Amino acid sequence: AQLYDEPQAREWLETEIICWRDKILPSSIGRDGEYIDGSGGWLTYCLQNGLLFLAAMRRNGCDLYEGSNLDHVADYATGPHTPDTP
Protein backbone atom coordinates (compact mmCIF):
# COMPACT_ATOMS: atom_id res chain seq x y z
CA ALA A 1 0.00 0.00 0.00
CA GLN A 2 2.83 2.40 0.77
CA LEU A 3 4.02 2.08 -2.82
CA TYR A 4 0.90 3.88 -3.97
CA ASP A 5 0.55 6.24 -1.00
CA GLU A 6 4.08 7.57 -0.69
CA PRO A 7 5.46 9.48 -3.70
CA GLN A 8 9.05 8.39 -3.02
CA ALA A 9 8.22 4.72 -2.46
CA ARG A 10 8.79 3.72 -6.10
CA GLU A 11 12.32 5.11 -5.91
CA TRP A 12 12.93 3.26 -2.61
CA LEU A 13 11.76 0.01 -4.16
CA GLU A 14 13.94 0.46 -7.25
CA THR A 15 16.95 1.13 -5.02
CA GLU A 16 16.23 -2.03 -3.03
CA ILE A 17 15.88 -4.13 -6.20
CA ILE A 18 19.18 -2.82 -7.56
CA CYS A 19 20.87 -3.45 -4.23
CA TRP A 20 19.66 -7.08 -4.06
CA ARG A 21 20.29 -7.82 -7.74
CA ASP A 22 23.69 -6.16 -8.09
CA LYS A 23 25.23 -6.35 -4.63
CA ILE A 24 23.61 -8.60 -2.01
CA LEU A 25 22.88 -11.74 -4.03
CA PRO A 26 26.12 -11.86 -6.05
CA SER A 27 28.32 -11.16 -3.04
CA SER A 28 26.58 -13.21 -0.35
CA ILE A 29 25.55 -16.49 -1.99
CA GLY A 30 28.39 -18.55 -3.43
CA ARG A 31 28.34 -20.66 -6.59
CA ASP A 32 27.35 -23.80 -4.67
CA GLY A 33 24.73 -22.05 -2.54
CA GLU A 34 26.95 -21.38 0.44
CA TYR A 35 26.59 -18.19 2.41
CA ILE A 36 30.02 -16.60 2.41
CA ASP A 37 29.78 -15.08 5.89
CA GLY A 38 29.65 -18.50 7.54
CA SER A 39 26.81 -20.32 9.21
CA GLY A 40 25.85 -17.77 11.85
CA GLY A 41 22.46 -16.30 11.06
CA TRP A 42 22.39 -16.87 7.31
CA LEU A 43 19.35 -19.14 7.41
CA THR A 44 17.50 -16.76 9.66
CA TYR A 45 18.30 -13.53 7.87
CA CYS A 46 18.87 -14.44 4.25
CA LEU A 47 16.33 -17.19 3.85
CA GLN A 48 13.64 -15.94 6.20
CA ASN A 49 13.59 -12.20 5.60
CA GLY A 50 15.29 -11.87 2.24
CA LEU A 51 13.28 -14.57 0.53
CA LEU A 52 10.02 -12.92 1.57
CA PHE A 53 11.11 -9.83 -0.35
CA LEU A 54 12.32 -11.87 -3.32
CA ALA A 55 9.07 -13.87 -3.43
CA ALA A 56 6.99 -10.68 -3.37
CA MET A 57 9.05 -9.24 -6.20
CA ARG A 58 8.68 -12.45 -8.22
CA ARG A 59 4.88 -12.35 -7.82
CA ASN A 60 4.97 -8.82 -9.18
CA GLY A 61 7.08 -9.58 -12.23
CA CYS A 62 10.60 -8.89 -10.96
CA ASP A 63 12.41 -12.23 -10.72
CA LEU A 64 15.56 -11.69 -8.68
CA TYR A 65 16.12 -15.45 -8.46
CA GLU A 66 17.04 -15.56 -12.14
CA GLY A 67 20.78 -15.40 -12.57
CA SER A 68 21.49 -15.82 -8.85
CA ASN A 69 22.81 -18.86 -6.97
CA LEU A 70 19.70 -19.15 -4.81
CA ASP A 71 18.68 -22.36 -6.54
CA HIS A 72 21.71 -24.05 -4.92
CA VAL A 73 21.05 -22.89 -1.34
CA ALA A 74 18.71 -25.75 -0.42
CA ASP A 75 21.17 -28.34 -1.74
CA TYR A 76 23.99 -26.72 0.20
CA ALA A 77 21.99 -26.48 3.43
CA THR A 78 20.72 -30.06 3.30
CA GLY A 79 23.77 -31.70 1.70
CA PRO A 80 25.54 -32.66 4.94
CA HIS A 81 22.33 -34.30 6.19
CA THR A 82 21.57 -36.32 3.08
CA PRO A 83 22.40 -40.04 3.32
CA ASP A 84 23.80 -40.25 -0.22
CA THR A 85 26.34 -37.45 0.30
CA PRO A 86 29.79 -38.75 -0.77
Coordinates of all heavy atoms in Angstrom, one line a residue:
A1 N 0.8 -1.2 0.0 CA 0.0 0.0 0.0 C 0.9 1.3 0.0 O 0.5 2.2 -0.6 CB -0.9 0.0 1.2
Q2 N 2.0 1.2 0.7 CA 2.8 2.4 0.8 C 3.4 2.8 -0.6 O 3.6 3.9 -0.9 CB 4.0 2.2 1.7 CG 4.8 3.4 2.0 CD 5.8 3.2 3.0 OE1 6.1 2.1 3.5 NE2 6.5 4.3 3.4
L3 N 3.5 1.8 -1.5 CA 4.0 2.1 -2.8 C 3.1 3.1 -3.6 O 3.6 3.9 -4.3 CB 4.1 0.8 -3.6 CG 4.8 0.9 -5.0 CD1 6.2 1.4 -4.9 CD2 4.7 -0.5 -5.7
Y4 N 1.8 3.0 -3.3 CA 0.9 3.9 -4.0 C 0.6 5.1 -3.2 O 0.1 6.1 -3.7 CB -0.4 3.1 -4.2 CG -0.1 1.9 -5.1 CD1 -0.2 0.6 -4.5 CD2 0.2 1.9 -6.4 CE1 0.1 -0.5 -5.2 CE2 0.5 0.8 -7.1 CZ 0.4 -0.4 -6.5 OH 0.7 -1.5 -7.3
D5 N 0.9 5.1 -1.9 CA 0.5 6.2 -1.0 C 1.7 7.2 -0.8 O 1.5 8.4 -0.6 CB 0.2 5.7 0.4 CG -1.1 4.9 0.4 OD1 -1.9 5.0 -0.6 OD2 -1.3 4.1 1.3
E6 N 2.9 6.7 -0.9 CA 4.1 7.6 -0.7 C 4.8 7.9 -2.0 O 5.2 7.0 -2.7 CB 5.0 6.8 0.2 CG 6.3 7.5 0.5 CD 6.2 8.9 1.1 OE1 5.5 9.0 2.1 OE2 6.8 9.8 0.6
P7 N 4.9 9.1 -2.4 CA 5.5 9.5 -3.7 C 6.9 8.9 -3.9 O 7.2 8.6 -5.0 CB 5.5 11.0 -3.7 CG 4.4 11.4 -2.7 CD 4.4 10.3 -1.7
Q8 N 7.7 8.9 -2.9 CA 9.1 8.4 -3.0 C 9.2 6.9 -3.0 O 10.3 6.3 -3.2 CB 9.9 9.0 -1.9 CG 10.1 10.5 -2.1 CD 10.9 11.1 -0.9 OE1 10.7 10.8 0.2 NE2 11.9 11.9 -1.3
A9 N 8.1 6.2 -2.7 CA 8.2 4.7 -2.5 C 8.7 4.0 -3.7 O 9.4 3.0 -3.6 CB 6.9 4.2 -2.0
R10 N 8.3 4.4 -4.9 CA 8.8 3.7 -6.1 C 10.3 3.8 -6.2 O 11.0 2.8 -6.5 CB 8.1 4.4 -7.3 CG 8.6 3.9 -8.7 CD 8.3 2.5 -9.0 NE 6.8 2.2 -9.0 CZ 6.3 1.0 -9.0 NH1 7.0 0.0 -9.2 NH2 5.0 0.9 -9.0
E11 N 10.9 4.9 -5.9 CA 12.3 5.1 -5.9 C 13.0 4.2 -4.9 O 14.0 3.6 -5.1 CB 12.7 6.6 -5.7 CG 14.2 6.9 -5.7 CD 14.5 8.3 -5.5 OE1 13.6 9.2 -5.6 OE2 15.7 8.6 -5.2
W12 N 12.4 4.1 -3.7 CA 12.9 3.3 -2.6 C 13.0 1.8 -3.1 O 13.9 1.1 -2.9 CB 12.1 3.4 -1.3 CG 12.1 4.7 -0.7 CD1 12.9 5.7 -0.8 CD2 11.0 5.2 0.1 NE1 12.5 6.8 -0.1 CE2 11.4 6.5 0.5 CE3 9.9 4.6 0.7 CZ2 10.6 7.3 1.4 CZ3 9.1 5.4 1.5 CH2 9.4 6.7 1.9
L13 N 11.9 1.4 -3.7 CA 11.8 0.0 -4.2 C 12.8 -0.3 -5.3 O 13.5 -1.3 -5.2 CB 10.4 -0.3 -4.7 CG 10.1 -1.7 -5.2 CD1 10.4 -2.8 -4.2 CD2 8.7 -1.8 -5.8
E14 N 12.9 0.6 -6.2 CA 13.9 0.5 -7.3 C 15.4 0.4 -6.7 O 16.2 -0.4 -7.1 CB 13.9 1.6 -8.3 CG 12.6 1.6 -9.1 CD 12.4 0.3 -9.9 OE1 13.5 -0.2 -10.5 OE2 11.3 -0.2 -10.1
T15 N 15.6 1.2 -5.7 CA 16.9 1.1 -5.0 C 17.2 -0.2 -4.4 O 18.2 -0.8 -4.4 CB 17.1 2.3 -4.0 OG1 16.9 3.5 -4.7 CG2 18.4 2.2 -3.2
E16 N 16.1 -0.7 -3.7 CA 16.2 -2.0 -3.0 C 16.4 -3.2 -4.0 O 17.3 -4.1 -3.8 CB 15.0 -2.3 -2.2 CG 15.1 -3.4 -1.3 CD 16.0 -3.2 -0.1 OE1 16.3 -2.0 0.2 OE2 16.4 -4.2 0.5
I17 N 15.7 -3.1 -5.1 CA 15.9 -4.1 -6.2 C 17.3 -4.1 -6.7 O 17.9 -5.2 -6.9 CB 14.8 -3.9 -7.3 CG1 13.4 -4.3 -6.8 CG2 15.2 -4.7 -8.6 CD1 12.3 -3.8 -7.8
I18 N 17.8 -2.9 -7.0 CA 19.2 -2.8 -7.6 C 20.2 -3.3 -6.5 O 21.1 -4.1 -6.9 CB 19.5 -1.4 -8.0 CG1 18.7 -1.0 -9.2 CG2 21.0 -1.1 -8.2 CD1 18.7 0.5 -9.5
C19 N 20.0 -3.0 -5.3 CA 20.9 -3.5 -4.2 C 20.9 -5.0 -4.1 O 22.0 -5.6 -4.1 CB 20.4 -2.8 -2.9 SG 21.5 -3.2 -1.5
W20 N 19.7 -5.6 -4.1 CA 19.7 -7.1 -4.1 C 20.2 -7.7 -5.3 O 21.0 -8.6 -5.2 CB 18.2 -7.5 -3.9 CG 17.8 -7.6 -2.4 CD1 17.2 -6.5 -1.7 CD2 18.0 -8.6 -1.5 NE1 17.0 -6.9 -0.4 CE2 17.5 -8.2 -0.3 CE3 18.5 -9.9 -1.6 CZ2 17.5 -9.0 0.9 CZ3 18.5 -10.7 -0.5 CH2 18.0 -10.3 0.7
R21 N 19.9 -7.2 -6.5 CA 20.3 -7.8 -7.7 C 21.8 -7.7 -8.0 O 22.5 -8.6 -8.4 CB 19.5 -7.2 -8.9 CG 19.8 -7.8 -10.3 CD 19.2 -7.0 -11.4 NE 19.9 -5.7 -11.4 CZ 19.3 -4.6 -11.7 NH1 18.0 -4.6 -11.9 NH2 19.9 -3.4 -11.7
D22 N 22.3 -6.5 -7.7 CA 23.7 -6.2 -8.1 C 24.7 -6.3 -7.0 O 25.9 -6.5 -7.3 CB 23.8 -4.7 -8.6 CG 22.9 -4.5 -9.9 OD1 22.5 -5.5 -10.5 OD2 22.7 -3.3 -10.2
K23 N 24.3 -6.3 -5.7 CA 25.2 -6.4 -4.6 C 25.0 -7.5 -3.7 O 25.9 -8.4 -3.5 CB 25.2 -5.1 -3.8 CG 25.5 -3.8 -4.6 CD 26.9 -3.7 -5.0 CE 27.2 -2.4 -5.7 NZ 28.4 -2.4 -6.4
I24 N 23.8 -7.6 -3.1 CA 23.6 -8.6 -2.0 C 23.7 -10.0 -2.5 O 24.4 -10.8 -2.0 CB 22.3 -8.3 -1.3 CG1 22.3 -7.0 -0.6 CG2 22.0 -9.5 -0.3 CD1 21.0 -6.5 0.0
L25 N 22.9 -10.4 -3.5 CA 22.9 -11.7 -4.0 C 24.2 -12.2 -4.6 O 24.7 -13.2 -4.2 CB 21.7 -12.0 -5.0 CG 20.4 -11.9 -4.4 CD1 19.3 -12.0 -5.5 CD2 20.2 -13.1 -3.4
P26 N 24.8 -11.4 -5.5 CA 26.1 -11.9 -6.0 C 27.2 -12.0 -5.0 O 28.1 -12.8 -5.2 CB 26.5 -10.8 -7.1 CG 25.2 -10.1 -7.4 CD 24.4 -10.2 -6.2
S27 N 27.2 -11.1 -4.0 CA 28.3 -11.2 -3.0 C 28.1 -12.0 -1.8 O 29.0 -12.1 -1.0 CB 28.7 -9.7 -2.6 OG 27.6 -9.1 -2.0
S28 N 26.8 -12.5 -1.6 CA 26.6 -13.2 -0.3 C 26.2 -14.7 -0.5 O 26.3 -15.4 0.4 CB 25.5 -12.5 0.4 OG 24.3 -12.6 -0.3
I29 N 25.9 -15.1 -1.7 CA 25.5 -16.5 -2.0 C 26.6 -17.0 -3.0 O 26.7 -16.5 -4.1 CB 24.1 -16.7 -2.6 CG1 23.1 -16.0 -1.7 CG2 23.8 -18.2 -2.8 CD1 22.9 -16.7 -0.3
G30 N 27.3 -18.0 -2.6 CA 28.4 -18.6 -3.4 C 27.8 -19.4 -4.5 O 26.6 -19.8 -4.6
R31 N 28.7 -19.9 -5.4 CA 28.3 -20.7 -6.6 C 27.6 -21.9 -6.2 O 26.7 -22.4 -6.9 CB 29.6 -21.0 -7.4 CG 29.4 -21.8 -8.6 CD 30.6 -22.3 -9.3 NE 31.3 -23.3 -8.4 CZ 32.5 -23.3 -8.0 NH1 33.3 -22.3 -8.4 NH2 33.0 -24.2 -7.2
D32 N 28.0 -22.6 -5.1 CA 27.3 -23.8 -4.7 C 26.2 -23.6 -3.7 O 25.7 -24.6 -3.1 CB 28.4 -24.7 -4.1 CG 29.4 -25.2 -5.0 OD1 29.1 -25.4 -6.2 OD2 30.6 -25.3 -4.7
G33 N 25.8 -22.3 -3.5 CA 24.7 -22.0 -2.5 C 25.2 -21.7 -1.1 O 24.3 -21.5 -0.3
E34 N 26.5 -21.7 -0.9 CA 27.0 -21.4 0.4 C 26.8 -19.9 0.7 O 27.0 -19.1 -0.2 CB 28.4 -21.8 0.6 CG 29.4 -21.0 -0.2 CD 29.6 -21.4 -1.6 OE1 28.8 -22.2 -2.2 OE2 30.6 -20.9 -2.2
Y35 N 26.6 -19.6 2.0 CA 26.6 -18.2 2.4 C 28.0 -17.8 2.8 O 28.5 -18.5 3.8 CB 25.6 -18.0 3.6 CG 25.4 -16.6 3.9 CD1 24.8 -15.7 3.1 CD2 25.7 -16.1 5.2 CE1 24.6 -14.4 3.4 CE2 25.5 -14.8 5.6 CZ 24.9 -13.9 4.7 OH 24.7 -12.6 5.0
I36 N 28.6 -16.8 2.2 CA 30.0 -16.6 2.4 C 30.4 -16.1 3.8 O 31.6 -16.1 4.1 CB 30.6 -15.7 1.3 CG1 30.0 -14.3 1.4 CG2 30.4 -16.3 0.0 CD1 30.7 -13.3 0.5
D37 N 29.5 -15.6 4.6 CA 29.8 -15.1 5.9 C 29.7 -16.2 7.0 O 29.7 -15.9 8.1 CB 28.8 -13.9 6.3 CG 29.1 -12.7 5.6 OD1 30.3 -12.5 5.1 OD2 28.3 -11.8 5.5
G38 N 29.7 -17.4 6.6 CA 29.7 -18.5 7.5 C 28.2 -18.9 7.9 O 27.3 -18.4 7.3
S39 N 28.1 -19.8 8.9 CA 26.8 -20.3 9.2 C 26.0 -19.5 10.1 O 24.8 -19.6 10.2 CB 27.0 -21.7 9.8 OG 27.7 -21.6 11.0
G40 N 26.6 -18.5 10.9 CA 25.8 -17.8 11.9 C 24.8 -16.8 11.3 O 25.1 -15.8 10.7
G41 N 23.6 -17.2 11.4 CA 22.5 -16.3 11.1 C 22.0 -16.3 9.6 O 21.1 -15.6 9.3
W42 N 22.7 -17.0 8.7 CA 22.4 -16.9 7.3 C 21.0 -17.5 7.0 O 20.3 -16.9 6.2 CB 23.5 -17.4 6.4 CG 23.6 -18.9 6.3 CD1 24.2 -19.8 7.2 CD2 23.0 -19.7 5.3 NE1 24.0 -21.0 6.8 CE2 23.3 -21.0 5.6 CE3 22.3 -19.4 4.1 CZ2 23.0 -22.1 4.8 CZ3 21.9 -20.5 3.3 CH2 22.3 -21.8 3.6
L43 N 20.7 -18.6 7.6 CA 19.4 -19.1 7.4 C 18.3 -18.2 7.9 O 17.3 -18.0 7.3 CB 19.2 -20.5 8.1 CG 19.9 -21.7 7.4 CD1 19.9 -22.9 8.2 CD2 19.3 -21.9 6.0
T44 N 18.5 -17.7 9.1 CA 17.5 -16.8 9.7 C 17.3 -15.5 8.8 O 16.2 -15.1 8.4 CB 17.9 -16.4 11.1 OG1 18.0 -17.6 11.8 CG2 16.8 -15.5 11.7
Y45 N 18.4 -14.8 8.6 CA 18.3 -13.5 7.9 C 18.1 -13.7 6.4 O 17.1 -13.2 5.8 CB 19.5 -12.6 8.1 CG 19.4 -11.3 7.3 CD1 18.5 -10.4 7.9 CD2 20.0 -11.1 6.1 CE1 18.3 -9.2 7.2 CE2 19.8 -10.0 5.4 CZ 18.9 -9.0 5.9 OH 18.7 -7.9 5.3
C46 N 18.9 -14.4 5.7 CA 18.9 -14.4 4.3 C 17.6 -15.2 3.8 O 16.9 -14.8 2.9 CB 20.1 -15.1 3.7 SG 20.2 -15.1 1.9
L47 N 17.4 -16.4 4.4 CA 16.3 -17.2 3.8 C 15.0 -16.8 4.4 O 14.0 -17.0 3.8 CB 16.6 -18.7 4.1 CG 17.8 -19.2 3.3 CD1 18.0 -20.7 3.5 CD2 17.7 -18.9 1.8
Q48 N 14.9 -16.3 5.6 CA 13.6 -15.9 6.2 C 13.2 -14.6 5.7 O 12.1 -14.4 5.1 CB 13.7 -16.0 7.7 CG 12.4 -15.6 8.4 CD 12.5 -15.7 9.9 OE1 13.5 -16.1 10.4 NE2 11.4 -15.3 10.6
N49 N 14.0 -13.6 5.9 CA 13.6 -12.2 5.6 C 13.8 -11.9 4.1 O 12.9 -11.3 3.5 CB 14.3 -11.2 6.5 CG 14.0 -11.4 7.9 OD1 12.9 -11.7 8.3 ND2 15.0 -11.3 8.8
G50 N 15.0 -12.2 3.6 CA 15.3 -11.9 2.2 C 14.4 -12.6 1.2 O 14.0 -12.0 0.3
L51 N 14.1 -13.8 1.5 CA 13.3 -14.6 0.5 C 11.8 -14.1 0.5 O 11.2 -14.2 -0.5 CB 13.3 -16.1 0.8 CG 14.7 -16.7 0.5 CD1 14.6 -18.2 0.8 CD2 15.1 -16.5 -1.0
L52 N 11.4 -13.5 1.6 CA 10.0 -12.9 1.6 C 10.0 -11.8 0.6 O 9.0 -11.6 -0.2 CB 9.6 -12.4 3.0 CG 9.4 -13.5 4.0 CD1 9.1 -12.9 5.4 CD2 8.2 -14.4 3.6
F53 N 11.0 -10.9 0.6 CA 11.1 -9.8 -0.4 C 11.2 -10.3 -1.8 O 10.5 -9.9 -2.7 CB 12.3 -8.9 0.0 CG 12.6 -7.9 -1.0 CD1 11.8 -6.8 -1.2 CD2 13.7 -8.0 -1.9 CE1 12.0 -5.8 -2.1 CE2 14.0 -7.0 -2.8 CZ 13.1 -5.9 -2.9
L54 N 12.1 -11.3 -2.0 CA 12.3 -11.9 -3.3 C 11.0 -12.5 -3.9 O 10.7 -12.4 -5.0 CB 13.5 -12.9 -3.3 CG 14.8 -12.3 -2.9 CD1 15.9 -13.4 -2.9 CD2 15.3 -11.2 -3.8
A55 N 10.3 -13.2 -3.0 CA 9.1 -13.9 -3.4 C 8.0 -12.8 -3.8 O 7.3 -13.0 -4.8 CB 8.5 -14.8 -2.3
A56 N 7.9 -11.7 -3.0 CA 7.0 -10.7 -3.4 C 7.3 -10.0 -4.7 O 6.5 -9.7 -5.5 CB 7.0 -9.6 -2.3
M57 N 8.6 -9.8 -4.9 CA 9.1 -9.2 -6.2 C 8.7 -10.2 -7.4 O 8.3 -9.7 -8.4 CB 10.6 -8.9 -6.2 CG 10.9 -7.8 -5.2 SD 10.3 -6.2 -5.7 CE 8.7 -6.1 -4.8
R58 N 9.0 -11.5 -7.2 CA 8.7 -12.4 -8.2 C 7.2 -12.4 -8.6 O 6.8 -12.5 -9.8 CB 9.1 -13.8 -7.8 CG 8.9 -14.9 -8.8 CD 9.2 -16.3 -8.3 NE 10.5 -16.7 -8.8 CZ 11.1 -17.8 -8.5 NH1 10.5 -18.7 -7.7 NH2 12.2 -18.1 -9.1
R59 N 6.3 -12.4 -7.6 CA 4.9 -12.4 -7.8 C 4.5 -11.1 -8.6 O 3.5 -11.1 -9.3 CB 4.1 -12.4 -6.5 CG 4.0 -13.8 -5.9 CD 3.0 -13.9 -4.8 NE 3.2 -12.8 -3.8 CZ 3.9 -13.0 -2.7 NH1 4.6 -14.1 -2.5 NH2 4.0 -12.0 -1.8
N60 N 5.3 -10.1 -8.5 CA 5.0 -8.8 -9.2 C 5.8 -8.6 -10.4 O 5.9 -7.5 -10.9 CB 5.1 -7.6 -8.2 CG 4.0 -7.6 -7.2 OD1 2.9 -7.3 -7.5 ND2 4.3 -8.1 -6.0
G61 N 6.4 -9.7 -11.0 CA 7.1 -9.6 -12.2 C 8.6 -9.2 -12.2 O 9.2 -9.0 -13.3
C62 N 9.2 -9.2 -11.1 CA 10.6 -8.9 -11.0 C 11.3 -10.1 -10.3 O 11.3 -10.3 -9.1 CB 10.8 -7.6 -10.1 SG 12.5 -7.2 -9.9
D63 N 11.8 -11.0 -11.2 CA 12.4 -12.2 -10.7 C 13.9 -12.1 -10.4 O 14.7 -12.1 -11.3 CB 12.2 -13.3 -11.8 CG 12.5 -14.7 -11.2 OD1 13.0 -14.8 -10.1 OD2 12.3 -15.7 -12.0
L64 N 14.2 -11.9 -9.1 CA 15.6 -11.7 -8.7 C 16.3 -13.0 -8.5 O 17.5 -13.1 -8.3 CB 15.6 -10.9 -7.4 CG 15.2 -9.4 -7.6 CD1 15.0 -8.7 -6.2 CD2 16.1 -8.6 -8.4
Y65 N 15.5 -14.1 -8.5 CA 16.1 -15.5 -8.5 C 16.9 -15.7 -9.7 O 17.9 -16.4 -9.7 CB 15.0 -16.5 -8.3 CG 14.3 -16.6 -7.0 CD1 13.2 -15.8 -6.8 CD2 14.7 -17.4 -6.0 CE1 12.5 -15.9 -5.6 CE2 14.1 -17.5 -4.8 CZ 13.0 -16.7 -4.6 OH 12.3 -16.7 -3.4
E66 N 16.4 -15.3 -10.9 CA 17.0 -15.6 -12.1 C 18.5 -15.0 -12.2 O 18.7 -13.8 -11.9 CB 16.2 -14.9 -13.3 CG 16.7 -15.3 -14.6 CD 15.8 -14.7 -15.7 OE1 14.6 -14.7 -15.5 OE2 16.3 -14.3 -16.7
G67 N 19.4 -15.8 -12.5 CA 20.8 -15.4 -12.6 C 21.5 -15.4 -11.2 O 22.7 -15.1 -11.2
S68 N 20.8 -15.8 -10.2 CA 21.5 -15.8 -8.9 C 21.8 -17.3 -8.5 O 21.5 -18.2 -9.3 CB 20.6 -15.2 -7.8 OG 19.5 -16.1 -7.4
N69 N 22.5 -17.5 -7.4 CA 22.8 -18.9 -7.0 C 21.8 -19.4 -5.9 O 22.1 -20.4 -5.3 CB 24.2 -18.9 -6.4 CG 25.3 -18.6 -7.5 OD1 25.1 -19.1 -8.6 ND2 26.3 -17.9 -7.2
L70 N 20.7 -18.7 -5.8 CA 19.7 -19.1 -4.8 C 19.2 -20.6 -5.0 O 18.8 -21.2 -4.1 CB 18.5 -18.2 -4.8 CG 18.8 -16.9 -4.1 CD1 17.7 -15.9 -4.3 CD2 19.0 -17.1 -2.6
D71 N 19.2 -21.0 -6.3 CA 18.7 -22.4 -6.5 C 19.6 -23.4 -5.9 O 19.2 -24.6 -5.8 CB 18.5 -22.6 -8.0 CG 19.7 -22.3 -8.9 OD1 20.6 -21.6 -8.4 OD2 19.7 -22.7 -10.0
H72 N 20.8 -23.1 -5.5 CA 21.7 -24.1 -4.9 C 21.7 -24.0 -3.4 O 22.3 -24.9 -2.8 CB 23.1 -23.8 -5.4 CG 23.3 -23.9 -6.9 ND1 23.3 -25.1 -7.5 CD2 23.5 -22.9 -7.8 CE1 23.4 -24.9 -8.8 NE2 23.5 -23.6 -9.0
V73 N 21.0 -23.1 -2.8 CA 21.0 -22.9 -1.3 C 20.5 -24.1 -0.6 O 21.0 -24.6 0.3 CB 20.3 -21.6 -0.9 CG1 20.2 -21.5 0.6 CG2 21.1 -20.4 -1.4
A74 N 19.3 -24.6 -1.1 CA 18.7 -25.8 -0.4 C 19.6 -27.0 -0.5 O 19.8 -27.7 0.5 CB 17.4 -26.1 -1.0
D75 N 20.3 -27.2 -1.6 CA 21.2 -28.3 -1.7 C 22.4 -28.2 -0.8 O 22.8 -29.1 -0.2 CB 21.7 -28.5 -3.2 CG 20.6 -28.9 -4.2 OD1 19.6 -29.5 -3.7 OD2 20.8 -28.6 -5.4
Y76 N 22.9 -27.0 -0.7 CA 24.0 -26.7 0.2 C 23.6 -26.9 1.7 O 24.3 -27.6 2.4 CB 24.5 -25.3 0.0 CG 25.7 -25.0 0.9 CD1 27.0 -25.5 0.6 CD2 25.5 -24.3 2.1 CE1 28.0 -25.2 1.5 CE2 26.5 -24.0 2.9 CZ 27.8 -24.5 2.6 OH 28.9 -24.2 3.5
A77 N 22.4 -26.4 2.0 CA 22.0 -26.5 3.4 C 21.7 -27.9 3.9 O 21.9 -28.3 5.0 CB 20.8 -25.6 3.6
T78 N 21.1 -28.7 2.9 CA 20.7 -30.1 3.3 C 21.8 -31.1 3.0 O 21.7 -32.2 3.4 CB 19.4 -30.4 2.6 OG1 19.6 -30.4 1.2 CG2 18.3 -29.5 3.1
G79 N 22.8 -30.8 2.1 CA 23.8 -31.7 1.7 C 24.4 -32.5 2.8 O 24.5 -33.7 2.7
P80 N 24.9 -31.9 3.9 CA 25.5 -32.7 4.9 C 24.6 -33.6 5.7 O 25.0 -34.5 6.3 CB 26.0 -31.6 5.9 CG 26.0 -30.3 5.2 CD 25.0 -30.5 4.1
H81 N 23.3 -33.5 5.5 CA 22.3 -34.3 6.2 C 21.7 -35.3 5.3 O 20.8 -36.0 5.7 CB 21.2 -33.4 6.8 CG 21.8 -32.3 7.6 ND1 22.4 -32.5 8.8 CD2 21.9 -31.0 7.4 CE1 22.9 -31.4 9.3 NE2 22.6 -30.4 8.5
T82 N 22.1 -35.4 4.1 CA 21.6 -36.3 3.1 C 22.4 -37.6 3.1 O 23.6 -37.6 3.0 CB 21.6 -35.7 1.7 OG1 21.0 -34.4 1.7 CG2 20.9 -36.6 0.7
P83 N 21.7 -38.8 3.2 CA 22.4 -40.0 3.3 C 23.3 -40.4 2.1 O 24.3 -41.0 2.3 CB 21.3 -41.1 3.4 CG 20.1 -40.3 3.8 CD 20.3 -38.9 3.3
D84 N 23.0 -39.9 0.9 CA 23.8 -40.2 -0.2 C 24.9 -39.3 -0.5 O 25.5 -39.3 -1.5 CB 22.9 -40.4 -1.5 CG 22.2 -39.1 -1.8 OD1 22.2 -38.2 -1.0 OD2 21.6 -39.1 -2.9
T85 N 25.2 -38.4 0.5 CA 26.3 -37.4 0.3 C 27.7 -38.2 0.3 O 27.9 -39.0 1.2 CB 26.3 -36.4 1.4 OG1 25.1 -35.7 1.4 CG2 27.5 -35.4 1.3
P86 N 28.5 -38.0 -0.7 CA 29.8 -38.8 -0.8 C 30.7 -38.3 0.3 O 30.7 -37.3 0.9 CB 30.4 -38.4 -2.1 CG 29.5 -37.4 -2.7 CD 28.3 -37.2 -1.9

